[in-house]
């Protein structure tokens, strides 16, 4: 089992920044690829970003490319999502997820999920 706890969400104005954190406990964190997903009201959950177990490769949804950065610190068992130039359409509950082995872009490929953290971007 892997337990994931997100933090760092909040209310920010359009153009602002937030940094989300996801602290992991349980199994060996460095064995897991990590992903960030988000779900806006009335919409399907969507992929935001992913990072390989070693942190050597990252992947982004087109909608956040160039604005968001995913990173991880395996010594701290934590993955981050730095979000810059936020837009109202980024408003959603953000979830981190863990997948043993290689990265994935689909939510159904992830094994463990956090409880989510709300991000609200005002115009």
């Amino acid at each position: 089992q892997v337990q994931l706890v997100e933090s760092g969400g909040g209310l920010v104005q359009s153009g602002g920044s937030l940094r989300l954190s996801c602290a992991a406990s349980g199994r060996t964190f460095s064995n897991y690829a990590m992903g960030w997903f988000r779900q806006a009201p009335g919409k399907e959950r969507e992929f935001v970003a992913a990072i390989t177990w070693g942190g050597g490769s990252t992947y982004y949804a087109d909608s956040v490319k160039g604005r968001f950065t995913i990173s991880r610190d395996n010594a701290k068992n934590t993955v981050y999502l730095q979000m810059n130039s936020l837009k109202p359409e980024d408003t959603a509950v953000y979830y981190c997820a863990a997948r043993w082995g290689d990265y994935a872009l689909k939510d159904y490929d992830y094994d463990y999920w956090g409880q989510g953290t709300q991000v609200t971007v005002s115009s």
Side-chain angles (χ1 to χ4, degrees), residues 8 12 15 17 20 26 32 35 55 57 67 75-76 91 107-108 121 123:
V12 64
S17 297
L20 304 184
Y32 289 81
S57 297
R67 300 188 298 122
K76 295 183 178 180
T91 296
D107 57 359
Y108 51 73
V121 184
S123 56

Side-chain angles (χ1 to χ4, degrees):
Q1 281 285 74
V2 174
Q3 293 78 42
L4 302 172
V5 179
E6 302 97 333
S7 61
L11 173 64
V12 64
Q13 288 189 332
S14 182
S17 297
L18 282 175
R19 188 196 197 200
L20 304 184
S21 298
C22 174
S25 60
R27 298 284 179 88
T28 304
F29 179 69
S30 58
N31 287 339
Y32 289 81
M34 300 297 295
W36 285 97
F37 291 79
R38 67 186 181 186
Q39 188 168 20
K43 294 189 176 182
E44 298 282 320
R45 185 163 55 189
E46 65 175 358
F47 169 77
V48 175
I51 188 167
T52 52
W53 61 269
S57 297
T58 55
Y59 305 87
Y60 298 94
D62 288 343
S63 58
V64 307
K65 204 170 293 184
R67 300 188 298 122
F68 290 11
T69 303
I70 187 172
S71 62
R72 67 190 295 162
D73 185 339
N74 286 346
K76 295 183 178 180
N77 289 356
T78 302
V79 63
Y80 305 97
L81 186 67
Q82 178 67 43
M83 306 186 294
N84 299 330
S85 303
L86 282 161
K87 305 175 181 180
E89 50 263 44
D90 294 317
T91 296
V93 177
Y94 283 71
Y95 300 89
C96 71
R99 181 177 190 273
W100 192 91
D102 205 357
Y103 80 98
L105 306 183
K106 301 295 187 182
D107 57 359
Y108 51 73
D109 284 325
Y110 283 81
D111 305 307
Y112 303 101
W113 292 83
Q115 82 289 349
T117 185
Q118 176 70 47
V119 171
T120 303
V121 184
S122 63
S123 56

